[in-house]
């Protein structure tokens, strides 16, 4: 989907909001104490716009598209911890008949 485009001279944006966008921070616009809009750096928007298009069309978003490198690293750690487990379940430990 092609975004609706306006000229920058039509928009008043405070300098601190411009600086935030240049530093790849999102800027939330609030009206009557409620979030109304979010401004996003153009490079960041280019990364997420395909996902937005899928959501707007009602298409599912593959989980791989929602995860980042940190998520994949965590999954790999958890899988390594599960090494030796049978389908993620702990094997029963033999019980000592001597009692406490």
């Amino acid at each position: 989907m092609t975004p609706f485009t306006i000229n920058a001279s039509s928009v008043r944006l405070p300098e601190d909001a411009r600086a935030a966008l240049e530093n790849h921070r999102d800027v939330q616009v609030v009206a009557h104490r409620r979030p109304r809009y979010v401004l996003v750096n153009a490079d960041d928007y280019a990364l997420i716009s395909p996902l937005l298009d899928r959501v707007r069309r009602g298409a599912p978003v593959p989980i791989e598209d929602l995860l980042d490198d940190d998520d994949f690293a965590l999954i790999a750690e958890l899988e390594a911890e599960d090494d030796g487990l049978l389908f993620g379940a702990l094997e029963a430990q033999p019980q000592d008949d001597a009692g406490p």
Side-chain angles (χ1 to χ4, degrees):
M1 177 179 282
T2 303
F4 179 76
T5 303
I6 59 174
N7 192 326
S9 63
S10 299
V11 178
R12 288 183 18 185
L13 194 59
E15 189 59 39
D16 56 343
R18 290 179 196 213
L21 289 169
E22 287 297 319
N23 290 311
H24 296 269
R25 294 187 58 213
D26 303 335
V27 175
Q28 181 173 295
V29 180
V30 178
H32 304 288
R33 294 182 293 184
R34 296 184 65 188
R36 296 291 301 202
Y37 310 103
V38 176
L39 306 176
V40 180
N41 179 289
D43 293 336
D44 297 341
Y45 177 76
L47 295 173
I48 63 170
S49 64
L51 294 177
L52 291 173
D53 286 342
R54 290 183 67 90
V55 169
R56 289 175 181 150
R57 290 192 322 263
V61 177
I63 189 71
E64 297 85 16
D65 291 349
L66 299 175
L67 301 177
D68 62 15
D69 291 340
D70 291 337
D71 295 322
F72 287 117
L74 179 60
I75 290 170
E77 273 183 44
L78 294 173
E79 286 177 347
E81 290 175 10
D82 283 350
D83 192 32
L85 296 179
L86 181 62
F87 299 108
L90 294 173
E91 294 180 20
Q93 300 294 321
Q95 296 293 319
D96 185 10
D97 291 336

